[in-house]
Amino acid sequence: MTSICLEPAMTELPMPEIAAAAMPQTVAMPAFGIALGPLLYYWPREAVMQFYASVADAPVDRVYLGETVCTRRHEVRHAQWLEIAQMLRDAGKEVVLSTPVLVESDTDIAWMRRACAQDDYLVEANDLGAVRCMQGRPFVGGPHLNVYHADTLAWLAGLGAAGCVAPVEMDGATLAALAAARPTGMRLEAFVWGRLPLAFSARCFTARHHRLRKDSCEFRCMDYPDGLVAATGEGQAFFTLNGVQTQSATCLDLCAEALAMARMGVGMLRVSPHSSGTLQVVQQLAAIRAGEQAPAASGITPTGAQPCNGYWHRSAGIAWEARA
């Protein structure tokens, strides 16, 4: 099994002008929160506990917890997620419980209902079934609700949404327009670092790779703490297989756009957990927020991955455009 190495414990402006703007130290930096998205991979329980113990001491404002990809993964069960949630809340973090994205089994429904029924923590609703389960109580709309328009954002706000995560493939100009049109009091969140979660399927691609059936997968996902990279016939890394989830092989890095997003009105920037580099990226974002570091790409990716930011620039998502 592959080992896991964890770290120790506005006014809208045209995109080029925002990206190039210099911030004198006498000018207050626009504020943004730092969020740690749900863990998308299947790690051993000890590794999960060690990781979140480190998160407790990191400059993270909000932490999403729970199984969003495959509820067959049972190293950390619902009760243990709640124990982690309490530990992080005691450390001063805001905790959000995330629901599964692809709900197709009784187990998926049970997890979704447990998350939505409790009222100790905010809920990230990752499908419309979870939105309905919330029955008008406040929730965060997850990135897989695919909110591209202000009308959809307003509709979700009417159902109780206190915040919403923009789709990962949204470009900068569209995100700026969405932020400008968001309902009063709604906090918009954007994905800024990590492999992009692109699609879900009823099939388990990791099991299929090992010629196993989904229901007898032998939990092979645990062999790949950052997913299994698939290449084209020409040898180019193209996708990452993560059970029923398909991710990008490249790693999104929009840390250079952190202040631009804050000026747009994006209140929270999301970092996705990986087996290495995650908390280093969090520290860099915290330094940018404090004015101790100029906005720049993190230069950090999961082992072997190349950076990408193509969607932000309205080009192929796999592309990388260096900031001038």
Side-chain angles (χ1 to χ4, degrees), residues 228-317:
L228 171 62
V229 176
T232 65
E234 292 75 26
Q236 179 188 14
F238 193 58
F239 286 126
T240 298
L241 307 181
N242 180 37
V244 299
Q245 183 186 59
T246 302
Q247 301 177 326
S248 62
T250 51
C251 176
L252 179 70
D253 189 343
L254 291 179
C255 294
E257 312 299 337
L259 295 186
M261 290 184 183
R263 291 192 190 96
M264 292 173 187
V266 177
M268 192 73 70
L269 307 186
R270 175 177 292 201
V271 174
S272 186
H274 289 71
S275 64
S276 63
T278 308
L279 299 187
Q280 292 171 275
V281 174
V282 167
Q283 293 287 352
Q284 289 194 27
L285 285 171
I288 292 171
R289 178 172 62 184
E292 299 167 357
Q293 178 178 321
S298 70
I300 300 169
T301 62
T303 303
Q306 297 297 315
C308 70
N309 61 6
Y311 283 137
W312 179 263
H313 299 286
R314 293 185 174 181
S315 62

Side-chain angles (χ1 to χ4, degrees), residues 63 74 104 113 117 120 122 173 203-204 223 252 267 269 277 291 296:
V63 183
H74 59 276
E104 59 173 355
R113 287 178 173 168
D120 290 328
L122 196 63
R203 292 182 176 180
C204 176
D223 295 340
L252 179 70
L269 307 186

Side-chain angles (χ1 to χ4, degrees), residues 5-244:
C5 176
L6 296 171
E7 302 102 328
M10 133 157 98
T11 299
E12 181 184 350
L13 296 175
M15 296 307 298
E17 285 78 2
I18 291 178
M23 293 294 296
Q25 294 210 348
T26 55
V27 177
M29 295 291 178
F32 57 84
I34 301 173
L36 188 67
L39 176 62
L40 303 180
Y41 305 106
Y42 193 30
W43 294 353
R45 182 180 309 167
E46 295 76 12
V48 174
M49 297 300 183
Q50 179 185 346
F51 176 75
Y52 285 107
S54 299
V55 170
D57 297 322
V60 172
D61 303 294
R62 173 183 284 181
V63 183
Y64 292 83
L65 298 175
E67 182 56 57
T68 64
V69 177
C70 178
T71 54
R72 280 179 51 79
R73 299 173 177 179
H74 59 276
E75 282 287 298
V76 182
R77 299 183 183 273
H78 181 73
Q80 292 163 324
W81 282 120
L82 292 181
E83 291 174 6
I84 296 172
Q86 186 60 55
M87 179 269 294
L88 291 170
R89 173 181 276 180
D90 291 344
K93 313 301 182 188
E94 179 189 12
V95 176
V96 182
L97 298 185
S98 297
T99 68
V101 175
L102 183 63
V103 179
E104 59 173 355
S105 69
D106 290 342
T107 305
D108 299 337
I109 294 171
W111 164 256
M112 179 187 72
R113 287 178 173 168
R114 279 196 300 265
C116 295
Q118 59 77 44
D119 56 9
D120 290 328
Y121 304 99
L122 196 63
V123 171
E124 178 187 46
N126 280 307
D127 87 319
L128 289 179
V131 173
R132 182 178 181 183
C133 277
M134 292 306 295
Q135 297 182 333
R137 289 177 289 121
F139 65 90
V140 176
H144 304 287
L145 292 185
N146 297 326
V147 177
Y148 297 98
H149 305 289
D151 288 346
T152 308
L153 205 58
W155 176 70
L156 285 175
L159 295 175
C164 190
V165 186
V168 297
E169 71 275 19
M170 186 169 282
D171 64 88
T174 303
L175 181 60
L178 192 66
R182 73 192 186 282
T184 302
M186 176 174 279
R187 180 174 246 185
L188 198 61
E189 183 173 324
F191 197 105
V192 298
W193 187 87
R195 282 196 163 116
L196 293 165
L198 300 175
F200 289 79
S201 171
R203 292 182 176 180
C204 176
F205 298 111
T206 305
R208 184 167 183 147
H209 173 76
H210 289 281
R211 301 182 183 279
L212 297 169
R213 295 176 58 190
K214 180 181 179 181
D215 292 340
S216 55
C217 64
E218 300 177 4
F219 304 103
R220 291 297 184 92
C221 285
M222 197 178 287
D223 295 340
Y224 309 100
D226 287 321
L228 171 62
V229 176
T232 65
E234 292 75 26
Q236 179 188 14
F238 193 58
F239 286 126
T240 298
L241 307 181
N242 180 37
V244 299

